[in-house]
Amino acid sequence: MKTQENDLSIEDDIECNYSGYIFKAFHFMGLKLSLKKKTDGFKFVHKLPTTIGILQSIVVFFLQMNFIRDVVQCDSNPPIQIISQVISNIQAGLKTLLVFKKIEDIQRMLETLGEFWKKYSPDKNYRVVLFRELGKTSSLCKYYFGTLVGIMIAYDVQPLVYFLTYYFEQNATNHTYDLSRRILLVKYPFEITRKSTYCFLLSQEAYLLYITAIYWANGDTLFAQFTTHICLQLKILKYETGKFFNQSNQEGRSDLLILIRRHQELLSMCDMIEDIFSPIIFSTMLLSAINMCVNVIGVTETIAAGSYEETGIYTFIFIATFLQIIFYCVFAETLTEETRSLSDFVYNLEWTSKDYRLRFLIQVIILRAQTPVYCTAYGFFPIGHQKLTSIINASFSYYMMLQTVK
């Protein structure tokens, strides 16, 4: 099966126009990802920035636990804001760790996709149609990526602006800057009295938030990109299956054997996606469900107290968390439906009037395609549109349980 030559190689086209922002974000972390074959792996120096961020995340977790302990000692009913941020930080740190742990597998997946597109590139007209769909996914991912980075900047900017304003106006006013301001809700085991110490700690908190935001966004958008690429290749497979099915010569039957092997390769890539993202999906679904119910409690309490500014914060976090769940469910459902539709497509071909060998090959494709591919939460349950209801019900159950405890 021959591929068509294009002025711009398809790997370069995808990297430049559709996935470049993801690769650039990883490059800022010291990790150079590419659709092309890498001659060298990721060395320790490449992983050092992320390793520092993960260690910081672990330290921040214990500092937050210390902060919660002190708050509980003073007030048996700690503010919901603390619980919500702790859950969000755990989720961000865990996602960073899981994505970083699978970075070698992610690079192998990218190389496999690059080779697949190079080997099985569609014709020019059909490529335009497919890449229009890839462009829609890319645009959605860019908005999602930009939103998360915007949230990160919003968290970072406020204390930095306060500090810089104080620094440049300290001679004109008698105002003393509050060195207890933080980006994250943490309590350090020592008192901060020097500005240099405060600036250092503030920069470390900002760095941690930057690392986790990048990995959070990249992990989610990579899942969307991978599933979209597989879906597009399945569309190409259906297109060429119908095309070669109409050939009655021996070469057409040989091409169907090649298409079966392509289907097997695509299913192998689906297994790679499952291996990489199932732990991430599990942690995302579990912690997001808990965080949603916590923020619902925050909304109800702040409305009752008349703190509408905090109500907006809780509402925004709730919406962002819920959109993250939808993000995974939508693309997972799309992949499942695309793998299932291959069976229906092949079944509707005029295969019953063909010779025995051709009928046998068609039956092989139908038989295997009848079992769709599911993306699961660490194997516990498949995710998709139907699981949204289950997740919402679980969040409501957590909410009622917390209300009962209160």
Side-chain angles (χ1 to χ4, degrees):
M1 192 173 299
K2 297 180 180 180
T3 59
Q4 182 171 337
E5 295 294 329
N6 298 291
D7 296 335
L8 180 65
S9 69
I10 198 163
E11 310 103 289
D12 292 335
D13 191 4
I14 294 173
E15 284 200 22
C16 293
N17 300 320
Y18 301 98
S19 303
Y21 63 97
I22 300 177
F23 298 152
K24 289 179 181 178
F26 272 118
H27 181 61
F28 289 145
M29 299 293 100
L31 302 171
K32 295 182 180 180
L33 299 179
S34 176
L35 287 169
K36 298 179 180 179
K37 188 75 173 178
K38 289 177 65 71
T39 56
D40 56 341
F42 297 107
K43 299 179 181 179
F44 176 75
V45 66
H46 301 145
K47 299 180 179 181
L48 184 59
T50 305
T51 304
I52 294 174
I54 292 174
L55 293 176
Q56 287 178 331
S57 180
I58 296 173
V59 172
V60 166
F61 171 76
F62 286 106
L63 292 176
Q64 287 183 327
M65 293 298 102
N66 185 38
F67 181 69
I68 291 177
R69 184 196 63 185
D70 292 345
V71 171
V72 171
Q73 289 177 352
C74 299
D75 183 2
S76 59
N77 187 19
I80 294 297
Q81 181 185 4
I82 299 175
I83 301 175
S84 177
Q85 187 173 120
V86 169
I87 294 174
S88 298
N89 290 342
I90 292 174
Q91 184 175 354
L94 188 58
K95 183 174 288 189
T96 300
L97 177 61
L98 292 174
V99 173
F100 181 65
K101 183 181 177 182
K102 294 289 186 178
I103 196 65
E104 301 281 356
D105 295 333
I106 290 173
Q107 176 57 38
R108 281 193 290 270
M109 180 68 185
L110 288 170
E111 292 173 4
T112 303
L113 280 174
E115 287 294 324
F116 212 84
W117 276 110
K118 183 178 180 180
K119 187 177 180 181
Y120 303 117
S121 176
D123 59 60
K124 191 171 184 179
N125 293 330
Y126 197 43
R127 175 177 169 177
V128 172
V129 175
L130 293 176
F131 274 42
R132 188 180 299 118
E133 184 172 340
L134 181 60
K136 293 178 181 179
T137 300
S138 179
S139 298
L140 177 62
C141 291
K142 287 179 181 178
Y143 288 128
Y144 182 81
F145 187 93
T147 300
L148 289 178
V149 173
I151 295 173
M152 179 266 296
I153 293 174
Y155 266 94
D156 284 352
V157 164
Q158 187 175 8
L160 292 175
V161 168
Y162 282 138
F163 181 78
L164 291 175
T165 302
Y166 159 74
Y167 181 80
F168 288 109
E169 296 181 357
Q170 59 181 338
N171 295 329
T173 63
N174 294 324
H175 174 69
T176 301
Y177 184 77
D178 183 8
L179 295 179
S180 64
R181 288 183 179 272
R182 302 282 186 273
I183 296 176
L184 304 174
L185 291 176
V186 295
K187 180 181 180 181
Y188 294 102
F190 51 85
E191 186 177 356
I192 303 174
T193 58
R194 300 177 59 183
K195 297 175 187 177
S196 58
T197 304
Y198 177 77
C199 289
F200 174 77
L201 294 175
L202 203 65
S203 65
Q204 295 306 304
E205 292 179 17
Y207 178 77
L208 172 60
L209 195 61
Y210 170 74
I211 290 285
T212 53
I214 292 297
Y215 271 91
W216 186 310
N218 279 350
D220 296 349
T221 52
L222 274 175
F223 178 78
Q225 291 276 345
F226 285 163
T227 53
T228 301
H229 281 290
I230 299 298
C231 289
L232 294 181
Q233 282 293 338
L234 285 168
K235 290 180 184 295
I236 297 173
L237 184 65
K238 288 190 291 185
Y239 172 77
E240 296 191 356
T241 299
K243 177 180 175 181
F244 288 112
F245 180 81
N246 295 325
Q247 297 179 3
S248 58
N249 52 28
Q250 182 65 31
E251 183 181 356
R253 289 193 292 269
S254 300
D255 286 333
L256 276 177
L257 287 173
I258 297 175
L259 290 170
I260 292 176
R261 296 191 187 99
R262 282 175 60 178
H263 187 222
Q264 292 173 336
E265 292 178 31
L266 288 171
L267 293 177
S268 297
M269 284 192 278
C270 291
D271 292 337
M272 293 176 67
I273 293 176
E274 171 70 9
D275 179 66
I276 294 171
F277 288 99
S278 62
I280 300 172
I281 293 172
F282 176 73
S283 64
T284 298
M285 297 299 164
L286 177 62
L287 294 175
S288 294
I290 297 174
N291 207 6
M292 283 169 58
C293 78
V294 169
N295 283 287
V296 169
I297 295 175
V299 169
T300 56
E301 288 188 352
T302 52
I303 290 177
S307 303
Y308 298 112
E309 182 178 350
E310 293 186 7
T311 301
I313 295 175
Y314 287 122
T315 303
F316 179 79
I317 296 175
F318 175 86
I319 294 174
T321 305
F322 185 63
L323 287 177
Q324 180 186 210
I325 296 175
I326 294 178
F327 193 84
Y328 275 99
C329 288
V330 166
F331 285 101
E333 183 74 18
T334 302
L335 180 61
T336 299
E337 290 300 321
E338 197 62 48
T339 55
R340 182 188 289 117
S341 66
L342 179 62
S343 175
D344 297 333
F345 175 82
V346 175
Y347 180 78
N348 290 324
L349 296 174
E350 294 292 337
W351 58 276
T352 55
S353 60
K354 302 298 181 180
D355 61 74
Y356 169 77
R357 292 182 179 179
L358 192 58
R359 292 202 307 270
F360 176 76
L361 295 177
I362 293 296
Q363 289 172 5
V364 169
I365 297 176
I366 294 174
L367 184 63
R368 180 59 188 90
Q370 283 179 338
T371 304
V373 171
Y374 292 101
C375 296
T376 69
Y378 216 37
F380 287 100
F381 56 85
I383 62 171
H385 295 160
Q386 295 180 353
K387 284 300 172 182
L388 280 175
T389 304
S390 301
I391 294 170
I392 294 173
N393 289 336
S395 299
F396 183 74
S397 299
Y398 294 146
Y399 170 75
M400 296 303 298
M401 180 184 67
L402 290 175
Q403 289 290 85
T404 303
V405 171
K406 289 178 62 180

